[in-house]
């Protein structure tokens, strides 16, 4: 009996960590773009979906998941740069309502365009053979790929933190997120900094989409399925706060991971419970600014 | 050095600047004086490229810079100290200063040493965050940050506003020392007393126009201008 509980706990913990990692990866780019640029991108998870679809195509053409993981986020980020220059940049000062209108419309366009290219079907993307197996820990059988997801999220957290807190470029980005006009008046081309941050945000979205593909496949409703969860993480964490998103993704992971093991019938309510619980005590989110 | 001719600018539908002409040469402090709402800060924003003028011309050493974006104007050698100081609150004093160098980070340590020569008080605060500084220290940091790239022209908006007299005196000495070292210093000021102490020449602004130009003594003697455009 006790070994059964132990294996359930191990399985639940791994599920929790996997959900945590996925929820954070999907939300990270959204909150970076909002925190640094003040831009609310409702099409964020459309780029996550695009990452999945492009990965499916690249993996099919090359036979390599790793090639897909390398190329798909880059291709999506380049698309994002073009869209940022043509569309998003015009709305940085236009307020969140205009940004939402534009990006909700864009989400529809991307959804329909994806159907034209890839059709209505769902596709499976195979994980690389080296990550396809399972290992047994304390009686629980665990997919190796889940461990890869957790590792990838940890690497992302470290890379983002190192970039923002440990480099001169990160310092300029943080300065521009507070007083962009002043940063411009000091000789920095803020326009290019914004484009770069947007590209990084969409790279993160697409990266999450590629990582997610072997787990649940790629399918037309992928963007919608992830959007609500991404916004829950970003809003409950405090708009624009990366540490907040990290912690709320962890809370979501815990309730989802253990919830789906012990109370699977109610799993879909858990994210909203976390959102409601956090906002009840801190209406601006965990790390939200008072004025937000 | 910096020449402004018949500058006009608007915010939305309101025409804030009607006709501003001025000149600021090397090695002098020039003050732009006037009541609140006269258009002084808007003039500086136009010169810095933070607001695009709808008519008129701005030139630096004979080259037109009208309507260029702020980063391009900064790169041509104009430094800007905004009225709100706009310190980066979560960056340290040293990081705030290093933001003053956009092109070559290897120059940062030497430039910080040079700037600390003007503001020794910042030396012990180098590791403190911007949002922990007093008002006077923030003003020093804001000016210091603008000096990092050794601008030929320094635009300073109301540097003495809300500061203790001893800090005001120190800032006045710094601005005069900068001018003595060859910099062209254009200061927006609302107090005649401050302007009279530091300026070689004074422009008076009212309702978006430059309405007077002369030496501080000329302005002291001109009761009409003082009564109509400066005294409350």
């Amino acid at each position: 009996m006790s070994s059964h509980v132990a294996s359930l706990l191990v399985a639940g913990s791994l599920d929790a960590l996997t959900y945590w990692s996925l929820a954070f990866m999907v939300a990270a780019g959204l909150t970076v773009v909002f925190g640094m640029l003040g831009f609310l991108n409702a099409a964020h998870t459309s780029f996550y979906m695009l990452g999945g679809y492009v990965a499916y195509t690249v993996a099919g053409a090359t036979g390599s998941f790793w090639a897909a993981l390398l190329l798909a986020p880059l291709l999506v980020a380049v698309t994002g740069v073009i869209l940022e220059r043509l569309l998003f940049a015009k709305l940085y000062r236009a307020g969140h309502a205009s940004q939402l209108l534009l990006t909700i419309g864009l989400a529809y366009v991307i959804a329909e365009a994806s159907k034209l290219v890839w059709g209505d079907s769902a596709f499976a993307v195979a994980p690389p053979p080296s990550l396809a197996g399972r290992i047994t820990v304390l009686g629980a059988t665990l997919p190796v790929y889940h461990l890869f997801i957790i590792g990838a999220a940890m690497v992302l957290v470290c890379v983002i933190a190192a970039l923002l807190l440990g480099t001169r470029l990160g310092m300029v980005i943080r300065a521009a997120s507070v007083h962009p006009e002043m940063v411009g008046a000091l000789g920095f081309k803020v326009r290019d900094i914004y484009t770069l941050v947007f590209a990084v945000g969409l790279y993160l979205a697409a990266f999450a989409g590629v990582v997610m593909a072997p787990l649940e496949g790629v399918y037309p409703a992928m963007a919608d399925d992830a959007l609500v969860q991404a916004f829950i993480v970003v809003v409950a964490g405090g708009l624009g706060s990366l540490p907040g998103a990290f912690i709320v993704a962890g809370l979501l992971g815990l309730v989802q991971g253990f919830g789906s093991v012990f109370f699977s019938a109610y799993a879909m309510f858990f994210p909203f419970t976390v959102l409601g619980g956090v906002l009840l005590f801190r209406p601006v989110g965990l790390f939200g600014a008072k004025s937000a | 050095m910096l020449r402004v001719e018949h500058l006009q600018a608007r915010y939305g539908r309101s025409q804030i600047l009607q006709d501003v002409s001025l000149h600021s040469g090397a090695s002098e402090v020039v003050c732009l004086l006037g009541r609140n709402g006269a258009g002084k800060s808007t003039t500086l924003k136009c010169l810095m490229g933070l607001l695009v003028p709808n008519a008129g011309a701005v030139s630096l050493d004979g080259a037109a810079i009208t309507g260029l974006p702020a980063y391009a104007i900064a790169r041509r050698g104009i430094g800007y100290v905004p009225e709100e100081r706009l310190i980066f609150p979560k960056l340290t004093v040293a990081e705030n200063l290093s933001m003053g160098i956009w092109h070559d980070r290897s120059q940062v340590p030497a430039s910080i040493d040079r700037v600390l020569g003007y503001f020794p008080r910042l030396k012990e605060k180098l590791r403190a965050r911007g949002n922990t500084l007093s008002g006077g220290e923030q003003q020093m940091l804001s000016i210091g940050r603008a000096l990092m790239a050794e601008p030929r022209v320094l635009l300073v908006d109301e540097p003495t506003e809300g500061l203790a007299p001893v800090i005001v005196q120190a800032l006045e000495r710094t601005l005069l020392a900068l001018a003595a070292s060859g910099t062209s210093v254009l200061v927006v000021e609302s107090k005649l007393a401050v302007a009279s102490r530091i300026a070689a020449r004074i422009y008076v602004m009212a309702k978006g126009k430059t309405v007077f130009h002369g030496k501080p003594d000329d302005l002291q003697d001109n009761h009409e201008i003082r009564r109509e455009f400066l005294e409350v």
Side-chain angles (χ1 to χ4, degrees), chain A residues 67-256:
Chain A
L69 187 65
L70 193 73
L71 281 179
L74 281 179
L75 289 172
V76 172
V78 170
T79 313
V81 165
I82 296 168
L83 286 171
E84 193 268 350
R85 290 271 155 166
L86 292 178
L87 294 176
F88 303 143
K90 301 188 193 314
L91 293 185
Y92 282 134
R93 284 153 203 269
H96 296 149
S98 307
Q99 295 166 358
L100 279 175
L101 277 177
L102 173 78
T103 53
I104 288 171
L106 182 67
Y108 280 112
V109 172
I110 293 177
E112 293 308 311
S114 305
K115 282 180 196 165
L116 286 178
V117 178
W118 287 284
D120 278 334
S121 316
F123 301 108
V125 175
S130 53
L131 302 177
R134 289 169 174 271
I135 54 168
T136 305
V137 180
L138 295 173
T141 309
L142 309 171
V144 176
Y145 191 72
H146 285 210
L147 298 174
F148 163 72
I149 291 176
I150 296 164
M154 283 179 179
V155 169
L156 268 190
V157 170
C158 295
V159 168
I160 297 173
L163 178 78
L164 278 179
L165 301 175
T167 68
R168 186 166 158 82
L169 176 64
M171 178 183 80
V172 176
I173 290 173
R174 284 186 291 142
S177 73
V178 188
H179 298 311
E181 287 199 335
M182 192 62 231
V183 172
L186 290 167
F188 294 93
K189 215 170 163 184
V190 179
R191 189 71 199 71
D192 290 352
I193 297 171
Y194 275 25
T195 306
L196 176 73
V197 172
F198 224 108
V200 169
L202 297 186
Y203 179 95
L204 291 172
F207 186 88
V210 182
V211 170
M212 189 64 144
L215 209 63
E216 298 193 349
V218 291
Y219 52 99
M222 195 174 164
D224 299 339
D225 287 354
L227 186 64
V228 174
Q229 178 162 307
F231 267 90
I232 287 175
V233 169
V234 169
V235 171
L239 284 169
S241 163
L242 215 49
F246 186 70
I247 289 171
V248 172
L251 287 176
L252 274 190
L254 277 178
V255 294
Q256 290 275 49

